[in-house]
Amino acid sequence: MARPVRETPILFGEDARRFIARMQERHPETPEARAQRLRDYEFMQKAFEDGMREKRAREAANGGVDPWFKHVEFPKDLKL
Amino acid sequence: MVQTCGIPERFKIVRLEPTNAIENFDCGDRDLNDYITNRASLFDYHMLAVSYTCIDPDTKQILAYFSLANDKIATSDFPNMTEFNRFRRKQGFPNEKRLKSYPAVKLCRLAVDICAKNRKIGTKVLNYIKSMFVIKNKTGCRFITVDAYLDAVPFYEKNGFRMMNLEDDDPHTRLMYFDLMDLVA
């Protein structure tokens, strides 16, 4: 069984003080890092738009099922 | 020897439906593999997370998987959880001055298949998520949070994440966050 992801805790004491102090500071990314991030974003956004368009086409051609993935159904009353 | 598969320049990203399950994926961590192949659909079905995959369209190999959920970071004036609970029992739920929270998005899981390691796909995914919540955010979101596996902590630190708690002694993971305001010029 996969380990659950820990919930984000309420920050107290020194952790809260440090967090709020860090929020007030600005640590801007370098121009190079910004340019790389925006290039990655453009690339990934296009990959997402293309990927979703192709997924919808596969589903339309296969009765609503995407053959690239295993198809699973859940009963309506399924509990987590 | 680690084999490489897919060419990052060609991959597609797909948002999974709850009816879409992943069969073949190996990031080298049994726990993560188990979640991605057996549990992710269930979380998507219950609307607790949204799953995305990066896929090589030629081989249909899943190169990377990530899932997102809404989150928040809350801070309290109280020195510790014991004081907080004592106050809550006596006074009812604390008022706004006692507890402030900031909207965040949780990177629930991020995994790269063994065959696509060392191709900076993880960094591309992080840059995508960061930009997604700065450029096209539909709701307010200040932070990205992650419960990082210990061996992934250097990766997140390299990408600007910070530790949430000074003393976090969990044997498996560290809670970390990234401030999206750092990206606003």
Side-chain angles (χ1 to χ4, degrees), chain B residues 150 168-174:
Chain B
L150 291 182
D168 187 346
D169 56 2
D170 187 274
H172 305 292
T173 60
R174 290 288 177 270

PDB file of all heavy atoms in Angstrom, chain B residues 150 168-174:
ATOM      1  N   LEU B 150      12.980  11.752   0.976  1.00  0.00           N
ATOM      2  CA  LEU B 150      14.293  12.244   1.428  1.00  0.00           C
ATOM      3  C   LEU B 150      15.306  12.332   0.285  1.00  0.00           C
ATOM      4  O   LEU B 150      16.049  13.311   0.186  1.00  0.00           O
ATOM      5  CB  LEU B 150      14.845  11.336   2.538  1.00  0.00           C
ATOM      6  CG  LEU B 150      14.107  11.396   3.877  1.00  0.00           C
ATOM      7  CD1 LEU B 150      14.791  10.492   4.897  1.00  0.00           C
ATOM      8  CD2 LEU B 150      14.002  12.823   4.405  1.00  0.00           C
ATOM      9  N   ASP B 168      12.026  18.550  11.481  1.00  0.00           N
ATOM     10  CA  ASP B 168      11.152  17.557  10.875  1.00  0.00           C
ATOM     11  C   ASP B 168      11.930  16.246  10.901  1.00  0.00           C
ATOM     12  O   ASP B 168      12.932  16.105  10.205  1.00  0.00           O
ATOM     13  CB  ASP B 168      10.813  17.980   9.436  1.00  0.00           C
ATOM     14  CG  ASP B 168       9.767  17.081   8.785  1.00  0.00           C
ATOM     15  OD1 ASP B 168       9.494  15.995   9.332  1.00  0.00           O
ATOM     16  OD2 ASP B 168       9.225  17.465   7.735  1.00  0.00           O
ATOM     17  N   ASP B 169      11.489  15.323  11.742  1.00  0.00           N
ATOM     18  CA  ASP B 169      12.257  14.074  11.876  1.00  0.00           C
ATOM     19  C   ASP B 169      11.529  12.878  11.268  1.00  0.00           C
ATOM     20  O   ASP B 169      11.776  11.736  11.641  1.00  0.00           O
ATOM     21  CB  ASP B 169      12.589  13.811  13.342  1.00  0.00           C
ATOM     22  CG  ASP B 169      11.335  13.781  14.214  1.00  0.00           C
ATOM     23  OD1 ASP B 169      10.233  13.933  13.654  1.00  0.00           O
ATOM     24  OD2 ASP B 169      11.471  13.612  15.436  1.00  0.00           O
ATOM     25  N   ASP B 170      10.626  13.149  10.329  1.00  0.00           N
ATOM     26  CA  ASP B 170       9.948  12.033   9.676  1.00  0.00           C
ATOM     27  C   ASP B 170      10.996  11.158   8.984  1.00  0.00           C
ATOM     28  O   ASP B 170      11.904  11.676   8.341  1.00  0.00           O
ATOM     29  CB  ASP B 170       8.945  12.567   8.642  1.00  0.00           C
ATOM     30  CG  ASP B 170       8.104  11.454   8.055  1.00  0.00           C
ATOM     31  OD1 ASP B 170       8.551  10.823   7.065  1.00  0.00           O
ATOM     32  OD2 ASP B 170       7.015  11.189   8.584  1.00  0.00           O
ATOM     33  N   PRO B 171      10.887   9.836   9.124  1.00  0.00           N
ATOM     34  CA  PRO B 171      11.924   8.966   8.546  1.00  0.00           C
ATOM     35  C   PRO B 171      11.880   8.861   7.022  1.00  0.00           C
ATOM     36  O   PRO B 171      12.824   8.347   6.413  1.00  0.00           O
ATOM     37  CB  PRO B 171      11.628   7.602   9.192  1.00  0.00           C
ATOM     38  CG  PRO B 171      10.196   7.659   9.574  1.00  0.00           C
ATOM     39  CD  PRO B 171       9.888   9.083   9.889  1.00  0.00           C
ATOM     40  N   HIS B 172      10.784   9.308   6.403  1.00  0.00           N
ATOM     41  CA  HIS B 172      10.646   9.093   4.955  1.00  0.00           C
ATOM     42  C   HIS B 172      10.634  10.372   4.123  1.00  0.00           C
ATOM     43  O   HIS B 172      11.100  10.365   2.984  1.00  0.00           O
ATOM     44  CB  HIS B 172       9.356   8.315   4.664  1.00  0.00           C
ATOM     45  CG  HIS B 172       9.252   7.038   5.399  1.00  0.00           C
ATOM     46  ND1 HIS B 172      10.072   5.969   5.133  1.00  0.00           N
ATOM     47  CD2 HIS B 172       8.437   6.647   6.415  1.00  0.00           C
ATOM     48  CE1 HIS B 172       9.769   4.968   5.948  1.00  0.00           C
ATOM     49  NE2 HIS B 172       8.784   5.359   6.734  1.00  0.00           N
ATOM     50  N   THR B 173      10.044  11.445   4.648  1.00  0.00           N
ATOM     51  CA  THR B 173       9.808  12.629   3.805  1.00  0.00           C
ATOM     52  C   THR B 173      10.083  13.931   4.556  1.00  0.00           C
ATOM     53  O   THR B 173      10.207  13.946   5.781  1.00  0.00           O
ATOM     54  CB  THR B 173       8.332  12.670   3.326  1.00  0.00           C
ATOM     55  OG1 THR B 173       7.477  12.737   4.470  1.00  0.00           O
ATOM     56  CG2 THR B 173       7.985  11.478   2.469  1.00  0.00           C
ATOM     57  N   ARG B 174      10.166  15.028   3.795  1.00  0.00           N
ATOM     58  CA  ARG B 174      10.271  16.374   4.364  1.00  0.00           C
ATOM     59  C   ARG B 174       9.204  17.254   3.722  1.00  0.00           C
ATOM     60  O   ARG B 174       9.030  17.229   2.495  1.00  0.00           O
ATOM     61  CB  ARG B 174      11.646  16.999   4.071  1.00  0.00           C
ATOM     62  CG  ARG B 174      12.787  16.346   4.830  1.00  0.00           C
ATOM     63  CD  ARG B 174      12.759  16.677   6.312  1.00  0.00           C
ATOM     64  NE  ARG B 174      13.825  15.981   7.016  1.00  0.00           N
ATOM     65  CZ  ARG B 174      13.711  14.765   7.552  1.00  0.00           C
ATOM     66  NH1 ARG B 174      12.570  14.112   7.451  1.00  0.00           N
ATOM     67  NH2 ARG B 174      14.719  14.210   8.174  1.00  0.00           N
TER      68      ARG B 174
END
